[in-house]
C-alpha cells in the first residue's frame, strides 16, 4: 500500500506553496518584512523556495532620515535555509548605518541556502561581516549584484 500525503500550509502569508514548482511569491517590501519576522520567530524555511516577482523599493521602511533596515535572520539565531530567487529583479533603497555585525539585506544564511538572480542597491555600514546581499554567508550566491557602498568598521 502506497500513500501519498500532501501537506498544505494555508497560514502562509505569501501566495504559492513554497516548492520549487510553486514558490512563495515576494511582491513588496512588506513581504520582505514578513519574511524577516517569520525567520526571527524561528522558521528557517528549510528547503523552501521564494521568488521575487517584481522590483521592490525599501524606502518606505528605511533611509538616511528613517530607520535602518533590519537584516533578515541573524548569525546567532535563525537564518534562511531555503532558496531566494530574485527573478532578475532588484531591491532598491537598502539603508543600514549600524555598529553591529552581520549587516546586509540578509544578516546570515545557512550553507544549504541559495540566493540568486538578485540585484540590491543601497548603503550598508556595520562593524564586521558587512555586505550588500548578506553580511555572512556559507550559502550559494549566484548571479547577484550589489550597487552602492558597504563600509566595515572592523
Amino acid at each position: 500500500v502506497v500513500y501519498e500525503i500532501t501537506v498544505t500550509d494555508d497560514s502562509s502569508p505569501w501566495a504559492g506553496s513554497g516548492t520549487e514548482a510553486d514558490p512563495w511569491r515576494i511582491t513588496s517590501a512588506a513581504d520582505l518584512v514578513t519574511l524577516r519576522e517569520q525567520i526571527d520567530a524561528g522558521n528557517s524555511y528549510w528547503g523552501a523556495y521564494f521568488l521575487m516577482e517584481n522590483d521592490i523599493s525599501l524606502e518606505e521602511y528605511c533611509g538616511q532620515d528613517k530607520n535602518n533596515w533590519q537584516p533578515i535572520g541573524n548569525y546567532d539565531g535563525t537564518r534562511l535555509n531555503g532558496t531566494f530567487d530574485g527573478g532578475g529583479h532588484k531591491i532598491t533603497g537598502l539603508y543600514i548605518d549600524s555598529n553591529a555585525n552581520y549587516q546586509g539585506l540578509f544578516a546570515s544564511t545557512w550553507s544549504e541556502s541559495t540566493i540568486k538572480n538578485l540585484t540590491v542597491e543601497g548603503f550598508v555600514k556595520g562593524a564586521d561581516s558587512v555586505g550588500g546581499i548578506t553580511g555572512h554567508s556559507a550559502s550559494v550566491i549566484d548571479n547577484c549584484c550589489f550597487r552602492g557602498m558597504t563600509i566595515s568598521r572592523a
Side-chain angles (χ1 to χ4, degrees):
V1 176
V2 175
Y3 296 96
E4 183 176 316
I5 299 173
T6 302
V7 178
T8 58
D9 180 4
D10 293 333
S11 65
S12 169
W14 310 284
S17 61
T19 64
E20 186 172 11
D22 184 27
W24 280 312
R25 292 181 284 288
I26 303 293
T27 61
S28 67
D31 286 344
L32 290 171
V33 169
T34 299
L35 177 59
R36 178 183 67 222
E37 290 168 348
Q38 293 289 312
I39 289 176
D40 286 349
N43 190 343
S44 69
Y45 291 101
W46 186 86
Y49 289 82
F50 295 87
L51 175 65
M52 253 178 65
E53 292 197 315
N54 49 270
D55 293 347
I56 294 174
S57 171
L58 297 178
E59 291 175 6
E60 177 181 345
Y61 292 91
C62 61
Q64 190 168 2
D65 297 326
K66 299 177 185 177
N67 295 323
N68 288 324
W69 172 256
Q70 297 302 310
I72 298 169
N74 62 75
Y75 182 79
D76 296 322
T78 309
R79 311 176 225 175
L80 177 70
N81 201 11
T83 298
F84 188 93
D85 184 346
H89 298 289
K90 66 182 173 181
I91 295 172
T92 59
L94 177 67
Y95 184 85
I96 301 172
D97 187 355
S98 174
N99 291 318
N101 297 331
Y102 310 109
Q103 299 298 305
L105 177 66
F106 292 87
S108 184
T109 53
W110 288 110
S111 59
E112 294 84 5
S113 63
T114 299
I115 301 172
K116 62 183 182 178
N117 306 319
L118 177 65
T119 297
V120 177
E121 297 178 356
F123 174 85
V124 182
K125 186 184 208 181
D128 189 23
S129 298
V130 176
I133 306 294
T134 180
H136 171 269
S137 177
S139 61
V140 173
I141 307 290
D142 182 34
N143 195 32
C144 291
C145 173
F146 178 75
R147 293 185 183 124
M149 180 180 289
T150 60
I151 301 171
S152 174
R153 294 187 181 136

